[in-house]
Amino acid sequence: MNPTIRNILAVIVGWFGGSVINIGLIQIGYIVFPIEGLDPNNMESLAEIMPTLDYQYFIFPFLAHAIGTFIGAFIAGIIAVNHKIKFALSIGVLFLIGGIYMSYIISGPIWFII
């Protein structure tokens, strides 16, 4: 396979794999720590209630971003032909941008955003 195509696939597959892990852990978090009367698919109600939640509700979002980023970067590093660290770091940057975006959309407590 052409190295350029394989490097592009490394980023795409790494981003997708990390995102699946991220979403899965977020969904598990809703099962382990259910929030009474909250539809987790409704972003408006989620944005209203997030600043009032205790720390235990933020364990799984933290783990989801950390583990999802790690797995995605690992996948990208394995698939990439050369410059493996650059492709792994690009996954980290993509997840950082996603985390900042989600902090903007769904505001949480200041301690969690920091």
Side-chain angles (χ1 to χ4, degrees):
M1 180 181 284
N2 185 345
T4 303
I5 293 173
R6 189 163 165 192
N7 287 340
I8 292 170
L9 281 175
V11 173
I12 293 170
V13 173
W15 190 10
F16 181 76
S19 295
V20 168
I21 298 295
N22 189 321
I23 292 167
L25 285 172
I26 293 290
Q27 294 301 323
I28 291 170
Y30 289 133
I31 295 168
V32 173
F33 297 113
I35 302 170
E36 296 296 322
L38 175 71
D39 177 18
N41 298 320
N42 184 352
M43 289 294 192
E44 293 172 358
S45 65
L46 193 59
E48 289 176 11
I49 201 167
M50 280 301 236
T52 64
L53 296 175
D54 286 337
Y55 72 92
Q56 72 259 19
Y57 295 102
F58 294 95
I59 293 171
F60 274 92
F62 173 77
L63 289 175
H65 285 284
I67 296 172
T69 304
F70 177 76
I71 297 295
F74 185 75
I75 291 169
I78 288 174
I79 295 174
V81 175
N82 50 15
H83 305 288
K84 293 177 180 284
I85 192 73
K86 289 180 184 178
F87 290 105
L89 287 173
S90 69
I91 298 298
V93 169
L94 288 172
F95 273 81
L96 176 65
I97 291 168
I100 291 170
Y101 180 69
M102 288 309 295
S103 293
Y104 178 73
I105 290 178
I106 303 174
S107 181
I110 295 297
W111 61 265
F112 185 72
I113 292 173
I114 291 172

